[in-house]
Amino acid sequence: MTNNILVDKEIKNITELNDETFENIKDILLNHPAGGEVDDYNVDNRKDAFNYLNNRKLIQLSVNNKTFRVSKIGFELACLLAKAYENLV
């Protein structure tokens, strides 16, 4: 289990971002909780979301920005987001 303080800090940071970046981050983590291929890096504001996650060490982008891995904290965040949205439905 990761340090809950770090996860809480990242949740706070992400929720303080602009709405578009937050929505993109949420979409990335909910649809790819363990990582995957990046097919939309240059679409709309997705680049900002991927770079934010990469800079915060929540994901690790490949050198060519074609794939990414999710860190342990990033995975915990993805699970929390999934659980939160599951409870809303």
Side-chain angles (χ1 to χ4, degrees):
M1 190 90 193
T2 58
N3 186 334
N4 288 339
I5 294 171
L6 292 175
V7 174
D8 290 344
K9 180 181 172 186
E10 291 304 333
I11 290 171
K12 181 181 182 300
N13 289 337
I14 289 171
T15 57
E16 291 175 349
L17 297 171
N18 68 56
D19 289 344
E20 185 178 5
T21 302
F22 173 76
E23 287 299 319
N24 282 320
I25 287 172
K26 182 180 73 172
D27 183 57
I28 292 165
L29 291 176
L30 287 175
N31 290 311
H32 307 285
E37 291 188 21
V38 179
D39 55 356
D40 54 0
Y41 183 77
N42 289 313
V43 175
D44 298 327
N45 201 24
R46 301 286 278 188
K47 185 176 185 177
D48 292 339
F50 277 111
N51 286 333
Y52 177 85
L53 291 169
N54 191 57
N55 291 339
R56 300 290 302 165
K57 307 284 190 242
L58 299 173
I59 67 169
Q60 181 181 14
L61 280 168
S62 63
V63 175
N64 61 3
N65 298 326
K66 298 290 182 192
T67 60
F68 69 100
R69 296 186 304 185
V70 178
S71 70
K72 189 172 182 180
I73 293 175
F75 181 75
E76 294 264 341
L77 232 94
C79 291
L80 286 173
L81 280 170
K83 187 173 184 176
Y85 282 91
E86 180 181 285
N87 289 336
L88 289 175
V89 175

